[in-house]
């Protein structure tokens, strides 16, 4: 999951933020809390572990260079890198970017709505661990991803395993009195995502469930033969940075 306060620009983070603390320790408890008191447990331990069976089904479907949107602690980016695949994670949390780098993945501290390397050249964009909720506007998020992908590229998204389509204000809490600032979020089940896909002209490339987790693969429109083809080299070179910083890719050391 992305740093939960993902917006169209970076927001300040503090060392005592419950999300940052959870990533640094690799464990919860951590929740999204709605204004009415509803709590959604966040699976920090799974995020910080090796990819599980459900994750592996996602990685098996990835095509070309992979952009993991809201990469969190970076298990998917690191696994792709270990397989020799070109992959970049983005997250607004410095702690998440640093964790990804320690695992051997490449990561950039940036919002998906900010300029990114190799736009229109990515083969696959991932929205896993609830990241369809980023920004609280799934339509805007899918439009943005379609503009990041190469023609005919894939969006692979994890959906809520119930039929839900809601926009909510939430904050992150450890359940023990420490809470972050409120932010907009969204929750979509598969039927809701498919409705958005139809409106945007995204073709359904697959639907599957593993271990109680649900996924949908969507394919963007193919371009004409005169369109510029994906440039894998451009993606690789754009990820390299001489000195990692808060606004540049971070390479493992």
């Amino acid at each position: 999951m992305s740093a939960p306060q993902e917006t169209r620009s970076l927001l300040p983070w503090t060392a005592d933020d419950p999300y940052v603390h959870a990533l640094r320790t690799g464990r919860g408890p951590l929740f999204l809390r709605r204004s009415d008191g509803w709590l959604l447990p966040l699976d920090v331990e799974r995020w910080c572990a090796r990819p599980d069976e459900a994750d592996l089904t996602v990685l098996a479907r990835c095509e070309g260079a992979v952009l993991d949107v809201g990469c969190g602690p970076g298990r998917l980016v690191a696994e792709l890198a270990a397989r020799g695949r070109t992959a970049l994670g983005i997250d607004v949390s410095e702690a998440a970017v640093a964790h990804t780098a320690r695992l051997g993945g490449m990561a950039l501290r940036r919002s998906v709505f900010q300029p990114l390397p190799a736009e229109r050249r990515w083969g696959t964009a991932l929205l896993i661990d609830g990241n369809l909720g980023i920004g609280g506007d799934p339509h805007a998020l899918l439009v943005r991803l379609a503009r990041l992908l190469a023609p005919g590229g894939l969006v692979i998204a994890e959906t809520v395993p119930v039929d839900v389509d809601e926009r909510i204000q939430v904050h992150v809490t450890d359940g023990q009195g420490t809470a972050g600032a409120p932010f907009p979020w969204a929750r979509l089940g598969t039927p809701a995502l498919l409705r958005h896909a139809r409106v945007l002209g995204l073709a359904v490339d697959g639907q599957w469930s593993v271990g109680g987790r649900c996924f949908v693969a969507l394919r963007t429109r193919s371009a004409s033969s005169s369109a510029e083809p994906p440039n894998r080299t451009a993606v690789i070179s754009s990820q390299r940075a001489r000195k990692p910083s808060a606004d540049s890719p971070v390479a493992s050391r």
Side-chain angles (χ1 to χ4, degrees):
M1 182 177 182
S2 169
Q5 288 167 299
E6 172 85 49
T7 66
R8 294 171 190 255
S9 61
L10 297 180
L11 295 177
W13 289 84
T14 60
D16 60 352
D17 186 284
Y19 176 73
V20 173
H21 178 74
L23 287 194
R24 287 176 175 166
T25 62
R27 61 181 184 272
L30 195 68
F31 307 89
L32 286 185
R33 180 184 175 94
R34 204 163 53 192
S35 57
D36 62 3
W38 169 89
L39 290 174
L40 175 67
L42 301 178
D43 200 351
V44 178
E45 288 82 1
R46 178 173 61 78
W47 300 346
C48 293
R50 295 287 302 275
D52 63 13
E53 181 184 4
D55 294 328
L56 295 178
T57 67
V58 170
L59 299 182
R61 289 175 176 261
C62 289
E63 301 175 357
V66 180
L67 181 68
D68 187 358
V69 179
C71 65
R75 72 187 188 282
L76 301 182
V77 176
E79 179 64 24
L80 287 165
R83 298 181 180 192
R85 299 288 301 275
T86 300
L88 176 68
I90 59 170
D91 203 292
V92 298
S93 166
E94 184 176 357
V97 169
H99 196 289
T100 302
R102 287 194 295 272
L103 293 181
M106 298 283 286
L108 181 71
R109 184 177 177 234
R110 196 167 297 179
S111 163
V112 67
F113 295 104
Q114 293 180 304
L116 293 172
E119 297 202 8
R120 298 187 183 277
R121 293 175 178 168
W122 296 97
T124 305
L126 301 180
L127 290 173
I128 308 302
D129 300 331
N131 285 325
L132 263 173
I134 286 175
D137 187 343
H139 181 92
L141 179 59
L142 290 171
V143 167
R144 172 60 174 149
L145 293 186
R147 292 171 178 167
L148 288 170
L149 289 167
L154 280 179
V155 176
I156 302 179
E158 183 171 357
T159 60
V160 177
V162 293
D163 188 2
V164 62
D165 186 358
E166 64 178 1
R167 316 291 179 269
I168 51 179
Q169 283 283 324
V170 295
H171 61 259
V172 176
T173 177
D174 59 8
Q176 302 173 26
T178 303
F183 57 92
W185 199 249
R187 297 177 68 239
L188 271 70
T190 295
L193 176 57
L194 297 183
R195 287 193 293 272
H196 284 284
R198 284 194 294 270
V199 170
L200 295 171
L202 300 173
V204 178
D205 199 73
Q207 301 177 52
W208 68 101
S209 299
V210 181
R213 297 171 62 194
C214 302
F215 305 92
V216 176
L218 303 172
R219 192 172 295 278
T220 62
R221 295 187 181 93
S222 296
S224 66
S225 58
S226 62
E228 181 182 4
N231 188 327
R232 184 181 179 88
T233 303
V235 174
I236 296 173
S237 63
S238 68
Q239 292 182 39
R240 300 190 184 277
R242 296 179 181 177
K243 294 183 180 180
S245 68
D247 195 39
S248 62
V250 176
S252 58
R253 293 175 174 80

